[in-house]
Tab-separated table of all heavy atoms in Angstrom:
chain	number	residue	atom	x	y	z
A	1	HIS	N	144.098	188.720	-61.382
A	1	HIS	CA	142.694	188.429	-61.160
A	1	HIS	C	142.460	187.725	-59.837
A	1	HIS	O	141.385	187.839	-59.277
A	1	HIS	CB	142.150	187.566	-62.290
A	1	HIS	CG	142.170	188.262	-63.612
A	1	HIS	ND1	141.293	189.279	-63.915
A	1	HIS	CD2	142.955	188.111	-64.684
A	1	HIS	CE1	141.545	189.702	-65.129
A	1	HIS	NE2	142.544	188.995	-65.624
A	18	THR	N	133.041	190.306	-49.312
A	18	THR	CA	134.448	190.044	-49.075
A	18	THR	C	134.567	188.590	-48.663
A	18	THR	O	133.804	188.124	-47.818
A	18	THR	CB	135.012	190.948	-47.967
A	18	THR	OG1	134.874	192.295	-48.387
A	18	THR	CG2	136.485	190.643	-47.718
A	27	TYR	N	148.821	179.794	-53.250
A	27	TYR	CA	149.516	181.076	-53.395
A	27	TYR	C	150.472	181.352	-52.239
A	27	TYR	O	151.194	182.338	-52.246
A	27	TYR	CB	148.513	182.211	-53.620
A	27	TYR	CG	148.023	182.168	-55.046
A	27	TYR	CD1	146.987	181.329	-55.414
A	27	TYR	CD2	148.666	182.888	-56.033
A	27	TYR	CE1	146.579	181.233	-56.732
A	27	TYR	CE2	148.269	182.795	-57.356
A	27	TYR	CZ	147.226	181.967	-57.700
A	27	TYR	OH	146.842	181.860	-59.005
A	38	LYS	N	151.767	175.086	-65.131
A	38	LYS	CA	152.524	174.320	-66.133
A	38	LYS	C	151.833	172.997	-66.461
A	38	LYS	O	151.694	172.636	-67.634
A	38	LYS	CB	153.949	174.063	-65.621
A	38	LYS	CG	154.825	173.258	-66.579
A	38	LYS	CD	156.230	173.093	-66.036
A	38	LYS	CE	156.308	171.885	-65.144
A	38	LYS	NZ	157.689	171.527	-64.753
A	39	VAL	N	151.369	172.298	-65.454
A	39	VAL	CA	150.693	171.021	-65.689
A	39	VAL	C	149.358	171.247	-66.414
A	39	VAL	O	149.008	170.499	-67.325
A	39	VAL	CB	150.492	170.247	-64.365
A	39	VAL	CG1	149.676	168.978	-64.594
A	39	VAL	CG2	151.842	169.891	-63.743
A	53	PHE	N	137.884	172.034	-53.592
A	53	PHE	CA	137.820	173.376	-54.190
A	53	PHE	C	138.114	174.465	-53.155
A	53	PHE	O	138.850	175.403	-53.434
A	53	PHE	CB	136.422	173.592	-54.801
A	53	PHE	CG	136.151	174.998	-55.220
A	53	PHE	CD1	136.636	175.477	-56.427
A	53	PHE	CD2	135.422	175.849	-54.408
A	53	PHE	CE1	136.384	176.786	-56.821
A	53	PHE	CE2	135.166	177.154	-54.790
A	53	PHE	CZ	135.650	177.626	-55.988
A	89	VAL	N	133.871	182.326	-58.925
A	89	VAL	CA	134.575	181.592	-59.979
A	89	VAL	C	133.624	181.291	-61.137
A	89	VAL	O	134.001	181.397	-62.305
A	89	VAL	CB	135.261	180.319	-59.429
A	89	VAL	CG1	135.941	179.535	-60.536
A	89	VAL	CG2	136.282	180.697	-58.347
A	97	PHE	N	133.429	176.221	-65.628
A	97	PHE	CA	133.512	175.886	-64.208
A	97	PHE	C	132.277	175.089	-63.798
A	97	PHE	O	131.143	175.549	-63.934
A	97	PHE	CB	133.602	177.161	-63.361
A	97	PHE	CG	133.554	176.916	-61.884
A	97	PHE	CD1	134.658	176.403	-61.215
A	97	PHE	CD2	132.401	177.179	-61.166
A	97	PHE	CE1	134.610	176.170	-59.848
A	97	PHE	CE2	132.339	176.948	-59.796
A	97	PHE	CZ	133.453	176.443	-59.142
A	110	PRO	N	131.207	158.724	-62.396
A	110	PRO	CA	130.803	159.033	-63.777
A	110	PRO	C	129.490	159.800	-63.883
A	110	PRO	O	129.314	160.607	-64.789
A	110	PRO	CB	130.699	157.653	-64.434
A	110	PRO	CG	131.619	156.786	-63.644
A	110	PRO	CD	131.525	157.303	-62.223
A	119	ASP	N	141.525	164.741	-67.484
A	119	ASP	CA	142.870	164.700	-68.069
A	119	ASP	C	143.899	165.055	-67.005
A	119	ASP	O	145.064	164.689	-67.108
A	119	ASP	CB	142.979	165.703	-69.224
A	119	ASP	CG	141.962	165.419	-70.306
A	119	ASP	OD1	141.935	164.276	-70.805
A	119	ASP	OD2	141.181	166.330	-70.649
A	123	VAL	N	144.205	166.291	-56.244
A	123	VAL	CA	143.645	165.787	-54.993
A	123	VAL	C	144.124	166.690	-53.862
A	123	VAL	O	145.299	166.746	-53.543
A	123	VAL	CB	144.059	164.315	-54.742
A	123	VAL	CG1	143.591	163.846	-53.381
A	123	VAL	CG2	143.498	163.427	-55.847
A	125	ALA	N	141.857	167.361	-50.831
A	125	ALA	CA	140.689	167.364	-49.947
A	125	ALA	C	141.040	166.687	-48.629
A	125	ALA	O	141.793	167.220	-47.844
A	125	ALA	CB	139.507	166.704	-50.633
A	138	LYS	N	140.780	157.924	-60.255
A	138	LYS	CA	141.261	157.005	-61.291
A	138	LYS	C	140.092	156.493	-62.134
A	138	LYS	O	140.202	156.365	-63.350
A	138	LYS	CB	141.999	155.837	-60.641
A	138	LYS	CG	142.421	154.735	-61.593
A	138	LYS	CD	143.042	153.586	-60.807
A	138	LYS	CE	143.449	152.448	-61.674
A	138	LYS	NZ	142.340	151.584	-62.080
A	153	SER	N	153.558	166.480	-47.864
A	153	SER	CA	154.554	167.070	-46.974
A	153	SER	C	154.600	166.347	-45.641
A	153	SER	O	153.753	165.521	-45.335
A	153	SER	CB	154.220	168.551	-46.725
A	153	SER	OG	153.048	168.654	-45.943
A	161	ARG	N	151.960	158.770	-47.921
A	161	ARG	CA	151.701	157.346	-47.645
A	161	ARG	C	150.712	156.788	-48.662
A	161	ARG	O	150.930	155.735	-49.251
A	161	ARG	CB	151.146	157.182	-46.226
A	161	ARG	CG	150.781	155.732	-45.893
A	161	ARG	CD	149.713	155.584	-44.854
A	161	ARG	NE	148.412	156.034	-45.358
A	161	ARG	CZ	147.325	156.121	-44.612
A	161	ARG	NH1	147.364	155.833	-43.327
A	161	ARG	NH2	146.181	156.526	-45.134
A	163	TRP	N	149.848	158.063	-51.606
A	163	TRP	CA	150.445	158.113	-52.953
A	163	TRP	C	151.328	156.882	-53.144
A	163	TRP	O	151.259	156.206	-54.166
A	163	TRP	CB	151.251	159.389	-53.119
A	163	TRP	CG	151.877	159.538	-54.464
A	163	TRP	CD1	153.058	158.992	-54.895
A	163	TRP	CD2	151.361	160.267	-55.577
A	163	TRP	NE1	153.308	159.342	-56.193
A	163	TRP	CE2	152.277	160.127	-56.640
A	163	TRP	CE3	150.210	161.025	-55.772
A	163	TRP	CZ2	152.070	160.724	-57.875
A	163	TRP	CZ3	150.011	161.617	-57.002
A	163	TRP	CH2	150.946	161.459	-58.042
A	167	GLU	N	151.149	153.905	-55.895
A	167	GLU	CA	152.313	153.640	-56.748
A	167	GLU	C	152.734	152.174	-56.639
A	167	GLU	O	153.013	151.528	-57.650
A	167	GLU	CB	153.453	154.579	-56.354
A	167	GLU	CG	154.541	154.676	-57.373
A	167	GLU	CD	155.493	155.822	-57.086
A	167	GLU	OE1	155.832	156.059	-55.917
A	167	GLU	OE2	155.916	156.464	-58.061
A	178	HIS	N	157.503	167.008	-55.397
A	178	HIS	CA	157.984	168.103	-54.547
A	178	HIS	C	157.448	167.839	-53.157
A	178	HIS	O	156.260	167.618	-52.986
A	178	HIS	CB	157.463	169.451	-55.046
A	178	HIS	CG	157.857	169.758	-56.448
A	178	HIS	ND1	158.898	170.600	-56.756
A	178	HIS	CD2	157.372	169.324	-57.641
A	178	HIS	CE1	159.021	170.693	-58.059
A	178	HIS	NE2	158.100	169.918	-58.624
A	181	ALA	N	158.002	171.787	-50.268
A	181	ALA	CA	158.384	172.884	-51.178
A	181	ALA	C	159.778	172.712	-51.778
A	181	ALA	O	160.344	173.636	-52.313
A	181	ALA	CB	158.260	174.231	-50.497
A	190	GLY	N	166.277	163.428	-62.227
A	190	GLY	CA	165.130	164.123	-62.802
A	190	GLY	C	164.009	164.156	-61.902
A	190	GLY	O	163.215	164.709	-61.502
Side-chain angles (χ1 to χ4, degrees):
H1 296 287
T18 299
Y27 283 84
K38 179 178 87 170
V39 175
F53 170 80
V89 178
F97 174 75
D119 301 305
V123 174
K138 174 185 178 281
S153 69
R161 177 206 69 186
W163 181 277
E167 196 168 40
H178 301 260

